[in-house]
Amino acid sequence: MNKFSKEVMSVGEMASGAKLTVPVYAFKGENNAAASVYIQANMHGAEVQGNAVIFQLLELLQHCNLQGNITLVPYANPVACNHKNGEYTLGRFDPITGVNWNRMYHFDESVIEPFAQQYLDASEEEIKDKFQQLLLSEVETKLAHNSWGLTTGQRIAYQLQRLAHQADIVLDLHTGPISSKHLYCPEYAQESAKYFDIEHTLLIPNDFDGAMDEATFCPWWSLQQAYENLGRKFTMGQGAFNKESFTVELGSQEQIDLDVAKQDALSILSYLQYQGVIDNKQYQPQKMTRYAGYLKDYKALYSPMGGMVDYLAEFGKPLAAGEPLVRILRMDNYGDGEALHYVSLEQEVIPILHFASASVNQGTELYKVLCHYFEL
C-alpha cells in the first residue's frame, strides 16, 4: 500500500488573526523519470464535487502501482469555501476586489525570450530544470518581496501555483452552475482528452488569461515558440516540454455525489495511466462518443426578457436548429398577452450548462452551448 504524507499549508490570515489553511496530500512515486502531477479542487466556493473526487483518488492511489509523484489539494480556497449567504455558497469572486478567484495566477511573458537566448544550446534536461526554477522564483518573489503587498486572492493563488509549477501535469477541478461534465483542454493536448471519461472538450488557445491551467501550460508553450523562432524545435507534450494542464468541470455546483466522484476518480486514473504516472492497466478510458470544439465556438445565450424559465434542452445531446432551449413564463401577461415564450437558436448546438435559477432578468445568461463541434 502506498503511504501518503499530509501537511497543512497556511495561505493567509483573517482579521481576528485566525490562520487560513489548506490540507496538502502527497504521494511519492517509484520512478524519478515519470511525470509528476498536481490536482486541486474548490478554488470557487460552491464548486465542491472536486473535494469528493480527491477523497476517492486518495482511497484509490494507495493501491496503485505509482510511478510519478502526485500532490492533491482539496479546499484550495478557504475564503471562498466559507463565503455563505443564507443557504448558498457564493465564493466565485473575491468579495473585496470583485475579481474572479481563478483569475489571479501569475505569468510574466517578458522572461521567456531572455531565457531562450541564455539557454539556446542547453540540454533538454537543463532547460526543464532551469525554467522550472525560474517559474518558481517568479512566484516566490511575488510572495516574499512585494513592498505593496498582495490581495487575499493573490496570496492564495501564488501559494497554490508554487505547488503546481513543480508538476508536469496539472488538473484544476471545478463545476458549473447546473452543468454537464466537460474538459478545458489546451489545443496542443487534444489527443489526451480521449483518455478522460468526459464527453465534451473545449479546446482553449495557448493564451494566458489568469487561470490556473493557463498559468501552468502557457509559459512552456511560449518557451517552445521562442525556441522555434531561434531555430531550435521542441514539441509540446514531449521531452522537456511534456507539460499538460486541464480544467476539469465535474458537473453542477453546491452538491457532492461520492459514487459519481469515484467514477470521476477512475477517469483521472485512466488519464494518469496513459501518461505513465501509474502503471495499472485496468484503468482504461470508457468507450463513448466524445465531442470537441474550440473555445471561440462556446457561446452564451442571454435571456431576451425577464421571467421564470423552464430549461428544456438536455445537456450533452445535439439540439437541432429551431428546437427550443427554454420557455419563459410571464404571468403578468396572462389574460391580455402571451404568457409563454419559447427561445431557440438557428443552428445545431450541444448544450453544456445553464443558469442555476429559474428566475431571470432580461440579459441573464441562460445556457452555454457548443457550436461547430466535431468528434474526437
Side-chain angles (χ1 to χ4, degrees), residues 141-278:
T141 299
K142 284 284 187 181
L143 284 166
H145 304 293
N146 194 316
S147 60
W148 294 97
L150 298 170
T151 69
T152 300
Q154 288 171 329
R155 187 172 298 280
I156 293 171
Y158 297 161
Q159 290 183 86
L160 296 171
Q161 191 173 355
R162 177 167 56 190
L163 295 175
H165 274 324
Q166 298 174 56
D168 302 305
I169 294 166
V170 174
L171 303 179
D172 193 9
L173 309 183
H174 285 256
T175 64
I178 306 296
S179 176
S180 64
K181 296 178 188 178
H182 53 288
L183 185 72
Y184 285 90
C185 172
E187 291 178 358
Y188 70 82
Q190 178 176 325
E191 184 65 21
S192 292
K194 299 176 183 178
Y195 291 86
F196 292 92
D197 296 331
I198 297 178
E199 293 179 330
H200 307 106
T201 295
L202 302 174
L203 298 170
I204 62 175
N206 307 310
D207 301 321
F208 179 66
D209 192 33
M212 171 60 93
D213 55 354
E214 300 159 347
T216 45
F217 82 77
C218 283
W220 293 91
W221 171 264
S222 298
L223 183 62
Q224 182 259 347
Q225 292 294 104
Y227 272 115
E228 190 167 306
N229 292 338
L230 294 170
R232 188 171 181 185
K233 187 171 178 59
F234 294 103
T235 301
M236 284 299 295
Q238 297 180 17
F241 293 81
N242 185 22
K243 301 285 183 175
E244 293 188 349
S245 303
F246 305 89
T247 295
V248 185
E249 299 280 353
L250 297 165
S252 303
Q253 64 188 23
E254 292 279 37
Q255 59 187 19
I256 69 166
D257 185 319
L258 283 164
D259 294 330
V260 173
K262 185 169 185 179
Q263 297 306 310
D264 292 329
L266 293 172
S267 167
I268 289 171
L269 291 179
S270 167
Y271 168 71
L272 296 184
Q273 158 68 26
Y274 161 68
Q275 286 288 6
V277 179
I278 61 173

Side-chain angles (χ1 to χ4, degrees), residues 11 17 58 61 65 79-80 82 89 122 132 134-135 223 240 247 256 280 283 292 296 302 304 315 322-323 334 364 373:
V11 294
L58 287 167
L61 285 168
N65 185 359
V79 179
N82 294 294
T89 311
Q132 186 177 64
L134 174 61
L135 295 177
L223 183 62
T247 295
I256 69 166
N280 295 77
Y283 297 123
K296 65 182 178 61
Y302 298 97
F315 292 142
E323 287 294 311
Y334 194 83
T364 297
Y373 52 86

